[in-house]
Amino acid sequence: MFGFFRRKKVETAPPAVSHIAFIMDGNGRWAKRRGLPREAGHRAGAKVFQRIVEYCLDIGIPTVTVYAFSTENWRRPEKEVDAIMELLERYIDDTFSKYADRDVEIVFVGRRDGLTPGLIEKMERLENESRGRKSRVNIALNYGGRDEIVRAVNRLYEEGKLPCDEASLSAALDCAGRPDPDLVVRTGGDLRTSNFLLWESAYAEYFFTGTLWPDLTERELDRILSDYARRHRRFGGL
Ligand code: IPE
Ligand code: IPE
Ligand code: MG
């Protein structure tokens, strides 16, 4: 009897998510609704980013990728871009450096050029200190999916590794070394990828919520994960 219940529990257990990715959108609108400057939305968003990433790690999701700044976000006013970069720098100092006890490696995916030398130095130090740890947080900064693919192809060309196949191109991407995302969550209500993980998301499940990023809670994420668990992923099969 006891064995029966135990087996049943295993059978109904939701499929594990080994990689979750977030398009953290809606910070600006969150601030506007409160009559605050957009930068205040990014500050609120950064706190939620920390909470949600830690929650994902706590519930056993080993790889988390977050979209922090796109290759297109440079089109925004300089004041806003500067505020986002300052926020990131502060986060590296105050938050990520404390992740040593969490056994998580931090990897910045995206282009390095265009970022300030001070920020690049901090990013590289953090990557070097955390390399090889069990879980992974990818921070997509100055990231574009098309740009990631083009840089990978050019790298393969320089190394004399063309023509390539899917496996060797995957291995040349910034996100290499971890499984592709199972689930991509976009907050903020827009129904598009905005150039995020174009290659890696070929068979990802998407979840779009109208909730603005700073309003996302662990409870809503639980509901999103329950929805994911009910989906049937076929990967082209039946
Ligand atoms: C996402 O929030 C954060 C970044 C793109 C850096 P937005 O700043 O795009 O917020 P909305 O979409 O304008 O509300
Ligand atoms: C996507 O949000 C990029 C990030 C969340 C970092 P955007 O706000 O830049 O996307 P679009 O411009 O609405 O497509
Ligand atoms: Mg937006």
Side-chain angles (χ1 to χ4, degrees), residues 24-29 38 42 68-69 73 76 80 84:
M24 310 187 288
D25 198 21
N27 293 347
R29 280 163 286 167
R38 292 180 59 85
H42 295 309
F69 191 86
N73 286 146
R76 297 186 180 202
E80 179 171 345
I84 293 170

PDB file of all heavy atoms in Angstrom, residues 24-29 38 42 68-69 73 76 80 84, ligand 1:
ATOM      1  N   MET A  24      13.094  40.131 -18.282  1.00  0.00           N
ATOM      2  CA  MET A  24      12.640  40.926 -17.134  1.00  0.00           C
ATOM      3  C   MET A  24      12.115  42.270 -17.639  1.00  0.00           C
ATOM      4  O   MET A  24      12.802  43.277 -17.563  1.00  0.00           O
ATOM      5  CB  MET A  24      13.800  41.154 -16.155  1.00  0.00           C
ATOM      6  CG  MET A  24      14.558  39.884 -15.771  1.00  0.00           C
ATOM      7  SD  MET A  24      15.778  40.149 -14.479  1.00  0.00           S
ATOM      8  CE  MET A  24      17.056  41.061 -15.356  1.00  0.00           C
ATOM      9  N   ASP A  25      10.889  42.286 -18.152  1.00  0.00           N
ATOM     10  CA  ASP A  25      10.382  43.498 -18.791  1.00  0.00           C
ATOM     11  C   ASP A  25       9.292  44.159 -17.948  1.00  0.00           C
ATOM     12  O   ASP A  25       8.525  43.469 -17.266  1.00  0.00           O
ATOM     13  CB  ASP A  25       9.832  43.130 -20.179  1.00  0.00           C
ATOM     14  CG  ASP A  25       9.693  44.353 -21.068  1.00  0.00           C
ATOM     15  OD1 ASP A  25      10.363  45.377 -20.806  1.00  0.00           O
ATOM     16  OD2 ASP A  25       8.906  44.291 -22.035  1.00  0.00           O
ATOM     17  N   GLY A  26       9.238  45.488 -18.040  1.00  0.00           N
ATOM     18  CA  GLY A  26       8.158  46.232 -17.385  1.00  0.00           C
ATOM     19  C   GLY A  26       8.608  47.155 -16.266  1.00  0.00           C
ATOM     20  O   GLY A  26       7.763  47.760 -15.599  1.00  0.00           O
ATOM     21  N   ASN A  27       9.904  47.294 -16.085  1.00  0.00           N
ATOM     22  CA  ASN A  27      10.403  48.164 -15.010  1.00  0.00           C
ATOM     23  C   ASN A  27       9.971  49.620 -15.212  1.00  0.00           C
ATOM     24  O   ASN A  27       9.580  50.304 -14.267  1.00  0.00           O
ATOM     25  CB  ASN A  27      11.940  48.148 -14.972  1.00  0.00           C
ATOM     26  CG  ASN A  27      12.498  46.807 -14.559  1.00  0.00           C
ATOM     27  OD1 ASN A  27      11.766  45.954 -14.071  1.00  0.00           O
ATOM     28  ND2 ASN A  27      13.799  46.624 -14.758  1.00  0.00           N
ATOM     29  N   GLY A  28      10.067  50.085 -16.469  1.00  0.00           N
ATOM     30  CA  GLY A  28       9.747  51.483 -16.765  1.00  0.00           C
ATOM     31  C   GLY A  28       8.286  51.788 -16.496  1.00  0.00           C
ATOM     32  O   GLY A  28       7.952  52.799 -15.856  1.00  0.00           O
ATOM     33  N   ARG A  29       7.410  50.885 -16.954  1.00  0.00           N
ATOM     34  CA  ARG A  29       5.971  51.098 -16.737  1.00  0.00           C
ATOM     35  C   ARG A  29       5.609  51.012 -15.262  1.00  0.00           C
ATOM     36  O   ARG A  29       4.744  51.750 -14.780  1.00  0.00           O
ATOM     37  CB  ARG A  29       5.168  50.069 -17.555  1.00  0.00           C
ATOM     38  CG  ARG A  29       5.034  50.456 -19.013  1.00  0.00           C
ATOM     39  CD  ARG A  29       4.617  49.295 -19.859  1.00  0.00           C
ATOM     40  NE  ARG A  29       5.715  48.350 -20.056  1.00  0.00           N
ATOM     41  CZ  ARG A  29       5.571  47.129 -20.551  1.00  0.00           C
ATOM     42  NH1 ARG A  29       4.378  46.685 -20.863  1.00  0.00           N
ATOM     43  NH2 ARG A  29       6.616  46.358 -20.724  1.00  0.00           N
ATOM     44  N   ARG A  38      12.012  56.344 -14.457  1.00  0.00           N
ATOM     45  CA  ARG A  38      12.225  54.961 -14.917  1.00  0.00           C
ATOM     46  C   ARG A  38      13.325  54.257 -14.128  1.00  0.00           C
ATOM     47  O   ARG A  38      13.261  53.042 -13.897  1.00  0.00           O
ATOM     48  CB  ARG A  38      12.577  54.955 -16.411  1.00  0.00           C
ATOM     49  CG  ARG A  38      11.425  55.376 -17.309  1.00  0.00           C
ATOM     50  CD  ARG A  38      11.853  55.348 -18.770  1.00  0.00           C
ATOM     51  NE  ARG A  38      12.302  54.022 -19.170  1.00  0.00           N
ATOM     52  CZ  ARG A  38      11.500  53.034 -19.577  1.00  0.00           C
ATOM     53  NH1 ARG A  38      10.206  53.227 -19.653  1.00  0.00           N
ATOM     54  NH2 ARG A  38      11.999  51.866 -19.927  1.00  0.00           N
ATOM     55  N   HIS A  42      13.987  50.366 -12.434  1.00  0.00           N
ATOM     56  CA  HIS A  42      15.119  49.447 -12.568  1.00  0.00           C
ATOM     57  C   HIS A  42      15.665  49.045 -11.195  1.00  0.00           C
ATOM     58  O   HIS A  42      16.090  47.903 -11.005  1.00  0.00           O
ATOM     59  CB  HIS A  42      16.229  50.075 -13.428  1.00  0.00           C
ATOM     60  CG  HIS A  42      15.793  50.312 -14.848  1.00  0.00           C
ATOM     61  ND1 HIS A  42      15.213  49.325 -15.609  1.00  0.00           N
ATOM     62  CD2 HIS A  42      15.811  51.418 -15.632  1.00  0.00           C
ATOM     63  CE1 HIS A  42      14.913  49.810 -16.801  1.00  0.00           C
ATOM     64  NE2 HIS A  42      15.253  51.084 -16.840  1.00  0.00           N
ATOM     65  N   ALA A  68      19.161  41.212 -18.871  1.00  0.00           N
ATOM     66  CA  ALA A  68      19.322  42.459 -18.118  1.00  0.00           C
ATOM     67  C   ALA A  68      19.426  43.683 -19.028  1.00  0.00           C
ATOM     68  O   ALA A  68      18.953  44.769 -18.676  1.00  0.00           O
ATOM     69  CB  ALA A  68      20.572  42.377 -17.238  1.00  0.00           C
ATOM     70  N   PHE A  69      20.064  43.513 -20.200  1.00  0.00           N
ATOM     71  CA  PHE A  69      20.262  44.663 -21.093  1.00  0.00           C
ATOM     72  C   PHE A  69      20.558  44.118 -22.489  1.00  0.00           C
ATOM     73  O   PHE A  69      21.458  43.290 -22.665  1.00  0.00           O
ATOM     74  CB  PHE A  69      21.449  45.502 -20.588  1.00  0.00           C
ATOM     75  CG  PHE A  69      21.584  46.848 -21.260  1.00  0.00           C
ATOM     76  CD1 PHE A  69      20.879  47.952 -20.783  1.00  0.00           C
ATOM     77  CD2 PHE A  69      22.415  47.009 -22.363  1.00  0.00           C
ATOM     78  CE1 PHE A  69      21.005  49.197 -21.398  1.00  0.00           C
ATOM     79  CE2 PHE A  69      22.546  48.247 -22.980  1.00  0.00           C
ATOM     80  CZ  PHE A  69      21.845  49.345 -22.499  1.00  0.00           C
ATOM     81  N   ASN A  73      19.158  48.039 -26.345  1.00  0.00           N
ATOM     82  CA  ASN A  73      18.807  48.972 -25.268  1.00  0.00           C
ATOM     83  C   ASN A  73      19.699  50.214 -25.235  1.00  0.00           C
ATOM     84  O   ASN A  73      19.390  51.181 -24.528  1.00  0.00           O
ATOM     85  CB  ASN A  73      18.808  48.269 -23.899  1.00  0.00           C
ATOM     86  CG  ASN A  73      17.623  47.356 -23.672  1.00  0.00           C
ATOM     87  OD1 ASN A  73      17.710  46.323 -23.012  1.00  0.00           O
ATOM     88  ND2 ASN A  73      16.455  47.718 -24.222  1.00  0.00           N
ATOM     89  N   ARG A  76      18.260  53.784 -25.744  1.00  0.00           N
ATOM     90  CA  ARG A  76      17.570  54.557 -24.691  1.00  0.00           C
ATOM     91  C   ARG A  76      18.380  55.783 -24.296  1.00  0.00           C
ATOM     92  O   ARG A  76      19.580  55.853 -24.566  1.00  0.00           O
ATOM     93  CB  ARG A  76      17.353  53.657 -23.472  1.00  0.00           C
ATOM     94  CG  ARG A  76      16.454  52.504 -23.819  1.00  0.00           C
ATOM     95  CD  ARG A  76      16.105  51.689 -22.606  1.00  0.00           C
ATOM     96  NE  ARG A  76      15.232  50.600 -22.997  1.00  0.00           N
ATOM     97  CZ  ARG A  76      14.419  49.958 -22.184  1.00  0.00           C
ATOM     98  NH1 ARG A  76      14.382  50.288 -20.908  1.00  0.00           N
ATOM     99  NH2 ARG A  76      13.662  48.982 -22.617  1.00  0.00           N
ATOM    100  N   GLU A  80      19.298  56.889 -18.597  1.00  0.00           N
ATOM    101  CA  GLU A  80      18.740  55.589 -18.195  1.00  0.00           C
ATOM    102  C   GLU A  80      19.782  54.467 -18.353  1.00  0.00           C
ATOM    103  O   GLU A  80      19.921  53.614 -17.474  1.00  0.00           O
ATOM    104  CB  GLU A  80      17.488  55.270 -19.032  1.00  0.00           C
ATOM    105  CG  GLU A  80      16.898  53.914 -18.643  1.00  0.00           C
ATOM    106  CD  GLU A  80      15.534  53.633 -19.273  1.00  0.00           C
ATOM    107  OE1 GLU A  80      14.894  54.571 -19.795  1.00  0.00           O
ATOM    108  OE2 GLU A  80      15.112  52.456 -19.221  1.00  0.00           O
ATOM    109  N   ILE A  84      21.284  52.006 -15.370  1.00  0.00           N
ATOM    110  CA  ILE A  84      21.248  50.533 -15.412  1.00  0.00           C
ATOM    111  C   ILE A  84      22.655  49.973 -15.188  1.00  0.00           C
ATOM    112  O   ILE A  84      22.853  49.029 -14.416  1.00  0.00           O
ATOM    113  CB  ILE A  84      20.657  50.034 -16.751  1.00  0.00           C
ATOM    114  CG1 ILE A  84      19.175  50.405 -16.851  1.00  0.00           C
ATOM    115  CG2 ILE A  84      20.824  48.524 -16.901  1.00  0.00           C
ATOM    116  CD1 ILE A  84      18.547  50.186 -18.225  1.00  0.00           C
TER     117      ILE A  84
HETATM  118  C1  IPE B   1      13.108  45.977 -18.761  1.00  0.00           C
HETATM  119  O1  IPE B   1      12.190  46.936 -18.400  1.00  0.00           O
HETATM  120  C2  IPE B   1      14.505  46.322 -18.350  1.00  0.00           C
HETATM  121  C3  IPE B   1      15.378  46.689 -19.468  1.00  0.00           C
HETATM  122  C4  IPE B   1      15.067  46.630 -20.731  1.00  0.00           C
HETATM  123  C5  IPE B   1      16.713  47.155 -19.116  1.00  0.00           C
HETATM  124  P1  IPE B   1      11.899  48.166 -19.342  1.00  0.00           P
HETATM  125  O2  IPE B   1      12.830  49.275 -18.993  1.00  0.00           O
HETATM  126  O3  IPE B   1      11.913  47.768 -20.780  1.00  0.00           O
HETATM  127  O4  IPE B   1      10.427  48.546 -18.897  1.00  0.00           O
HETATM  128  P2  IPE B   1       9.228  48.971 -19.840  1.00  0.00           P
HETATM  129  O5  IPE B   1       9.038  47.870 -20.840  1.00  0.00           O
HETATM  130  O6  IPE B   1       9.603  50.264 -20.476  1.00  0.00           O
HETATM  131  O7  IPE B   1       8.082  49.093 -18.896  1.00  0.00           O
END
